[in-house]
Amino acid sequence: MDKRVYLLTIVSFVVGMVELIIGGILDLVATDLGVSLGQAGLLITIFSITFAISAPILSVLTAKIERKRLTLVTLFVFLIGNLIAVFSPTYSVLFISRMISAASSSLLIVLCVVMAANIVNPQYRARAIGIVNMGVSGSLVLGIPFGLILGNTFGWRAPFIFISILSILSIAGIFFFMGSVAPTSQVSLGKQLASLKNYRLLFAQLTSVILLAGHSTLYAYLTPFVKTTLGLGGTWISIIYLIFGISALSGGALGGILADRYGEKPTILSIIVIFGVAIFTIPYSTFALPVFLILLVIWGMMSWAITPPMQSYLMGVSPETSNIQISLNNSAVHLGIAFGSLLGGIVIDLSSVEQTATVGGLFTIVALCTCLISMGKWRKRALI
C-alpha cells in the first residue's frame, strides 16, 4: 500500500472532525447563541448541502491544478473557516463559517479519495478508499469524544480551536511529505450529471442519498435522543460517541475488505439489511444500556461500511467516469445527511426525538429497493 494513502487519511480525519463535531454540541451552541435546537440543527444541514453542491463544481473548476498545491490552498481556506467559527459573535456568522468549511471540505475529500484510488494497484482500490474513509470515521473515535469533552469543559468554541491546530499540522504534513501529484482528466459538470442517465449509476447514487438520510435522521440528534431515552449525562454521551466512533472506524475498514473479497454487490446488500434491522430496533433497546450499546455498535459499523463498496461498485459500473462517480457519491452522501438532519428536526418538532430512529429505518427499506433496481439493471444488461 502506498504510504501517501495514510497521509491523505490524516487530512480526511481533520475534515471529518469539523463536519461531525457540531452534532454533539448542538445544545451548547443553541444555548450560547440563543437559538432553538432545530435552528442549531440547521448548521448540520447547511454544511451538508454546501458540501454536496460544492464537490462536483469545485472539482471541475480546479481540474487543471496540481494536486499537492490545490490541497494546500484548500486546507488554508478550511483553516480560515474554522477560525471564523472560533470567533463567531452570532449564529449568522457561525452559519457562514460552516458554509466555508463545507466547501473546502468537499474538495479535500474528493482529492483524498480520488488520489488514494489512483496511486494504488487496482486490486487494492476499495481498500485504499476504505482507509481514507477511516480517517473520517477515525475522527469519530478520537476527535469527536475529545471535542465533546473540550466543549463541555471550555465551551463549544474550544473544539474548533482544536480543529484549527490540526489544520495547521495537516498543512505542514502535506507540504513536507506529499510529493507532486499530476491532475487527472476532468469533464464538465454537465457531463458529470449526464452520467446519471445510466440507471445503474442513478439508482446507486440514490441509494447513498436515501440510506444516509435515514442514518442522519437519528445520528444528527443522537445527543438529545440519548439524554431523553436513557437519561444519560455528558460523560456517558462522550463514551457513547467513542463507542460509535470505534464501530464506524471498524466498519469503514470492513466494508472495503469484504468488497475486495466477496464483491461489491453482496457486500452492499448485506450492509443495508443489517443497518436497517439495527436502526429499527434501537428505540426498543433503551430499557437496558448494554442492549442499546450492542445495537449502537452494529449501527455504527454498517453506517460507515457502505461507502467503500458503494464507491468501488460505481467505479466498476462506469470505469470511464470513475472520478465523476466518486465526486457525485460524496455529494449524494451529504445530500442525504442534509435531508436527514432537516427531517430529524421536523420529527422532533412534530412528535418527539424518540421517533427519529423509526423514521430513519423506513428510509432503509427504500434504499434497499433502489439498490436492487441498480443491480438488477446491471445483471440484465450483462446477460445481453
Side-chain angles (χ1 to χ4, degrees), residues 15-16 19-20 44-53 55 102 105-106 109 133 136 208-209 212-213 216 304 311 327-341:
V15 172
E19 177 179 3
L20 302 168
I44 300 175
T45 303
I46 192 59
F47 186 102
S48 298
I49 290 175
T50 304
F51 191 111
I53 295 173
S105 295
S106 71
I109 291 295
N133 281 295
V136 179
S208 292
V209 173
L212 268 295
S216 61
W304 287 88
Q311 293 188 347
S327 176
L328 290 177
N329 190 246
N330 279 295
S331 294
V333 166
H334 285 82
L335 281 175
I337 293 173
F339 181 71
S341 59

Side-chain angles (χ1 to χ4, degrees), residues 227-291:
K227 287 182 176 179
T228 301
T229 59
L230 292 166
L232 301 177
T235 300
W236 262 108
I237 289 174
S238 296
I239 293 173
I240 285 173
Y241 273 95
L242 175 62
I243 293 173
F244 184 95
I246 294 173
S247 305
L249 180 63
S250 303
L254 182 64
I257 293 171
L258 292 178
D260 284 337
R261 180 171 299 179
Y262 300 108
E264 293 94 348
K265 292 191 286 183
T267 300
I268 292 170
L269 290 172
S270 299
I271 288 171
I272 293 174
V273 171
I274 297 172
F275 175 95
V277 172
I279 197 170
F280 263 125
T281 312
I282 280 177
Y284 306 100
S285 68
T286 54
F287 68 91
L289 182 59
V291 178

Side-chain angles (χ1 to χ4, degrees), residues 97-165:
S97 79
R98 294 291 290 171
M99 296 177 69
I100 296 172
S101 296
S104 53
S105 295
S106 71
L107 184 55
L108 285 171
I109 291 295
V110 171
L111 285 169
C112 290
V113 171
V114 173
M115 284 194 290
N118 283 281
I119 63 178
V120 299
N121 294 326
Q123 65 266 32
Y124 297 116
R125 184 177 61 193
R127 196 168 303 181
I129 295 172
I131 290 173
V132 170
N133 281 295
M134 279 176 64
V136 179
S137 52
S139 69
L140 290 172
V141 178
L142 301 175
I144 303 304
F146 183 65
L148 290 176
I149 293 172
L150 287 176
N152 285 309
T153 305
F154 302 106
W156 67 266
R157 300 174 195 271
F160 291 99
I161 297 176
F162 179 58
I163 294 171
S164 298
I165 295 172

Side-chain angles (χ1 to χ4, degrees), residues 7 10-11 14 72 75 165-175:
L7 182 57
I10 294 173
V11 175
V14 180
L72 288 172
L75 274 170
I165 295 172
L166 293 180
S167 300
I168 294 172
L169 294 176
S170 296
I171 291 172
I174 294 293
F175 182 80

Side-chain angles (χ1 to χ4, degrees), residues 53-117:
I53 295 173
S54 299
I57 295 175
L58 292 178
S59 294
V60 171
L61 294 178
T62 60
K64 297 181 179 180
I65 302 177
E66 190 271 322
R67 303 291 93 176
K68 175 181 177 178
R69 182 187 308 170
L70 179 59
T71 302
L72 288 172
V73 171
T74 310
L75 274 170
F76 181 75
V77 175
F78 178 79
L79 172 62
I80 296 301
N82 283 286
L83 290 176
I84 293 175
V86 171
F87 297 104
S88 295
T90 63
Y91 172 80
S92 299
V93 175
L94 180 59
F95 197 87
I96 293 172
S97 79
R98 294 291 290 171
M99 296 177 69
I100 296 172
S101 296
S104 53
S105 295
S106 71
L107 184 55
L108 285 171
I109 291 295
V110 171
L111 285 169
C112 290
V113 171
V114 173
M115 284 194 290

